[in-house]
Amino acid sequence: MSDEREPLDGEARELRALYRSLQPPTTADELAEADPGTVRAVEWMRAAYRGLVVPPCALPRATPRPRRAARPVPRVLALAAAAAALVLGAAALWRRLARPAANPGPERVAQVPAPVAREGVEILSVLPDRLELRCGPVRLVLLDPPPPASADGPPGS
Amino acid sequence: MSTPPSGAGSPELLRAVQAGAPEAVDAWFRAEHPEVYRLCFGFLAHPAEADDAAQEAMLHLLDQLGTFDATRSYRAWRTTLVLNRCRDRLRRSDARRKAEEGAARERPEGFLPDPAEVMGRAEVEGALALALRSLSPREREAFVLRDLEGLETAEVARTMSVTESSVRSLVTLARRRLRELLGAHLAPEGGEA
């Protein structure tokens, strides 16, 4: 390989001279140091920015709303819910225990558990102090004990 | 600016807002929203996006106000939070980027109206958004903070998490691009707009 550099022809020399004369852009902070065209453009932008019409804002609720005290669930409803859960559980258990006798086939390796029939629960009676439910052979009676008798009153009244 | 930033960032008002005083929250919101909207407009270059982003940013600011360190500059804290929200928004929206690339090739037509004229407000807003969209997101951030918000270079650098020389370069590029875009459409000094 030769170390000799190719002689520059006229165009290449001119290009090199132009390249060397290139000045990096000024990165002045202050706008005042920029050319008038730039100043006009930036001032127009600034005026337009400051004159922007701001759309109305939605004000938030300043103070958090106080939480409402949880309403006490009526006693009869709570009892009914508990009873329904008990009856459903009992019904599911009963069905599960009854199933092997009906399907004793050993070849069945997996079974999807049958959904519990909610419509099987029957409400027999709802009274202020008594709730009676039935599901299949299971019957459930829930009693609300009466308030204790006053000590001042005569016994048995 | 229509509302001085010192109003929304005054220590008394901020303390009252942090304490949850309803009238203080109202006052703070009213004073702060125009500033935040303008910042969002500047960073997003889109009126509808800016409106959404400003509402979102206001609630975020209100939520975060408890974490604000009163020994620091409120304006810098607020601007950083708004910038980050806008960056997230831009990052989430790839469609926005594509729209920007298209918009960057658009040019305003004819002479631009004087921003002081009330009649041409919508046109001015459109031209402003167009001009901002012609900048890259970084150039736009630097330009908005330095030239439109009037922050010092060092403050801009801190807010954007870049060096001061980067800010200078970005601002210079942005100014040059804007001059190229708007120069022909701005009435020469002494001429009619």
Side-chain angles (χ1 to χ4, degrees), chain B residues 88-181:
Chain B
D88 285 349
R89 212 177 169 88
L90 281 175
R91 217 173 283 136
R92 280 200 305 266
S93 170
D94 190 44
R96 164 77 44 230
R97 185 177 55 77
K98 286 175 183 160
E100 277 187 13
E101 285 170 3
R105 288 188 288 273
E106 296 172 41
R107 288 287 184 275
E109 292 173 6
F111 278 118
L112 292 169
D114 184 347
E117 285 177 12
V118 179
M119 295 301 286
R121 280 275 163 80
E123 202 182 339
V124 169
E125 187 183 88
L128 177 66
L130 191 71
L132 287 168
R133 281 202 296 269
S134 75
L135 308 177
S136 74
R138 305 278 277 180
E139 289 168 0
R140 199 158 59 218
E141 289 172 8
F143 177 76
V144 167
L145 294 173
R146 181 73 184 94
D147 278 347
L148 303 187
E149 284 291 318
L151 266 62
E152 291 300 321
T153 303
E155 259 180 302
V156 178
R158 271 197 302 275
T159 305
M160 291 180 64
S161 303
V162 295
T163 61
E164 290 186 35
S165 58
S166 295
V167 172
R168 285 192 200 96
S169 302
L170 289 167
V171 169
T172 303
L173 288 170
R175 285 174 182 169
R176 190 187 304 163
R177 210 184 289 268
L178 290 170
R179 186 194 59 202
E180 285 165 9
L181 182 81

Side-chain angles (χ1 to χ4, degrees), chain A residues 7-8 19 23-24 42 57 70 83 87 107 113 127-128 134 139 142 153 155:
Chain A
L8 286 173
Y19 176 77
Q23 293 295 319
V42 173
C57 64
V87 169
E107 67 278 3
L127 296 169
R134 187 179 68 192
R139 180 179 289 228
L142 293 161

Side-chain angles (χ1 to χ4, degrees), chain A residues 32-56:
Chain A
E33 295 170 34
D35 64 281
T38 304
V39 173
R40 271 211 309 279
V42 173
E43 281 178 349
W44 186 91
M45 291 289 288
R46 200 175 277 169
Y49 182 76
R50 288 177 181 172
L52 271 179
V53 180
V54 179

